[in-house]
């Protein structure tokens, strides 16, 4: 790993746990809709909204990488169905987005990012729609690549190719760090990047994929492995 010049980092479930955050954001949005646009919640239970979301994903499969588009399309569809115009959608999404970016970083993330930033170009690479500025860590990254920017989601190579270009080093000098065996490790390896798997739950590695070059239980182990601590 002595020749690594760029670190690309997954966000959700690598730097923070995402599922409780999304659940809380959806609950907050549903409560807000009930207070401000009650015909939606009178007609649609949370399970109904999930069904509509599935329908939207199937209908707009070519835009399934753009999570903001999908959520706003769901809001438009259910709002229109009960007689509201689309004027509420941006406000509704802001309610969701504020909670979605209220995350609790795993222990050691901030000092690790500070160390990595001193030695490497650090690029965030995410399928989600996290806002690094809202979270308060944008200063610890040189840039960010999202699925909506790349026009495809991991494990598609477009995201990794864009991150490599932003980083200014070759793919073989770029280490991608993430929690997902397919989206992060296998996707990055197929794009020519070096790979590190964040295995927080002591999971078994899926045998259908080639092993990652590095396995850590949390990102705080990276500085020692990269020789900077």
């Amino acid at each position: 790993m002595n020749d690594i010049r760029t670190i690309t980092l997954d966000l959700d479930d690598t730097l923070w746990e995402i599922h409780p955050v999304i659940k809380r954001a959806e609950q907050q949005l549903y409560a807000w809709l009930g207070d401000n646009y009650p015909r939606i919640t009178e007609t649609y239970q949370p399970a109904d909204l999930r069904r509509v979301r599935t329908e939207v994903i199937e209908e707009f499969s070519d835009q399934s990488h753009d999570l903001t588009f999908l959520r706003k399309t769901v809001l438009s569809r259910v709002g229109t169905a009960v007689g509201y115009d689309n004027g509420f959608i941006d406000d509704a999404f802001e309610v969701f987005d504020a909670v979605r970016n209220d995350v609790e970083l795993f222990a050691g993330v901030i000092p690790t990012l500070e160390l990595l930033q001193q030695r490497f170009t650090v690029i965030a690479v995410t399928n989600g729609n996290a806002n690094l500025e809202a979270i308060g860590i944008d200063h610890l990254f040189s840039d960010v690549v999202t699925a909506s920017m790349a026009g495809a989601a991991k494990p598609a190579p477009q995201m990794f190719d864009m991150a490599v270009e932003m980083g200014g080093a070759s793919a073989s000098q770029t280490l991608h760090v993430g929690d997902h065996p397919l989206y992060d490790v296998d996707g990055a390896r197929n794009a020519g990047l070096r790979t590190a798997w964040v295995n927080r739950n002591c999971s078994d590695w899926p045998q259908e994929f080639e092993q990652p070059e590095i396995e850590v239980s949390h990102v705080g182990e990276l500085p020692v492995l990269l020789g900077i601590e």
Side-chain angles (χ1 to χ4, degrees):
M1 291 292 166
N2 291 335
D3 59 343
I4 296 299
R5 292 174 52 196
T6 301
I7 304 285
T8 60
L9 266 172
D10 175 54
L11 300 177
D12 294 334
D13 287 326
T14 296
L15 302 187
W16 55 75
E17 189 175 11
I18 191 57
H19 296 293
V21 175
I22 297 297
K23 181 178 180 180
R24 182 161 45 88
E26 291 179 340
Q27 290 172 340
Q28 186 70 27
L29 172 58
Y30 192 78
W32 183 88
L33 291 171
D35 290 339
N36 296 277
Y37 297 89
R39 293 201 298 272
I40 294 177
T41 53
E42 289 167 0
T43 305
Y44 294 92
Q45 295 297 311
D48 299 320
L49 296 179
R50 290 191 289 271
R51 174 182 53 78
V52 174
R53 178 179 172 82
T54 299
E55 294 171 355
V56 166
I57 291 172
E58 292 175 353
E59 182 176 345
F60 296 97
S61 58
D62 59 331
Q63 297 187 67
S64 61
H65 57 276
D66 190 337
L67 301 185
T68 298
F69 166 81
L70 295 178
R71 288 198 178 275
K72 288 187 173 183
T73 301
V74 170
L75 289 167
S76 174
R77 184 154 298 184
V78 299
T80 300
V82 297
Y84 295 122
D85 63 34
N86 286 338
F88 76 100
I89 291 176
D90 287 343
D91 289 341
F93 185 79
E94 284 182 11
V95 171
F96 172 88
D97 202 46
V99 183
R100 187 260 182 270
N101 288 295
D102 182 15
V103 300
E104 183 178 353
L105 298 170
F106 293 132
V109 164
I110 294 295
T112 297
L113 290 176
E114 290 172 342
L115 282 171
L116 294 177
Q117 187 191 45
Q118 293 174 15
R119 179 78 170 270
F120 307 100
T121 301
V122 183
I123 310 287
V125 180
T126 178
N127 282 354
N129 48 9
N131 184 323
L132 297 181
E133 183 177 1
I135 294 169
I137 57 174
D138 56 307
H139 63 290
L140 297 173
F141 292 86
S142 297
D143 219 324
V144 58
V145 177
T146 66
S148 60
M149 291 169 55
K154 295 179 295 181
Q158 291 95 314
M159 293 191 69
F160 299 106
D161 293 344
M162 183 177 287
V164 168
E165 183 176 355
M166 286 179 173
S170 66
S172 64
Q173 293 173 314
T174 302
L175 175 68
H176 181 68
V177 181
D179 71 289
H180 201 284
L182 170 60
Y183 299 156
D184 289 305
V185 178
D186 198 58
R189 182 186 61 79
N190 287 334
L193 284 71
R194 313 289 291 277
T195 58
W197 181 37
V198 180
N199 182 12
R200 295 187 298 107
N201 300 315
C202 298
S203 301
D204 292 330
W205 178 256
Q207 294 304 307
E208 63 266 31
F209 302 127
E210 186 176 321
Q211 291 276 346
E213 296 178 67
I214 293 175
E215 179 179 334
V216 296
S217 60
H218 55 84
V219 295
E221 296 175 17
L222 289 171
V224 170
L225 294 173
L226 293 170
I228 60 173
E229 185 178 75

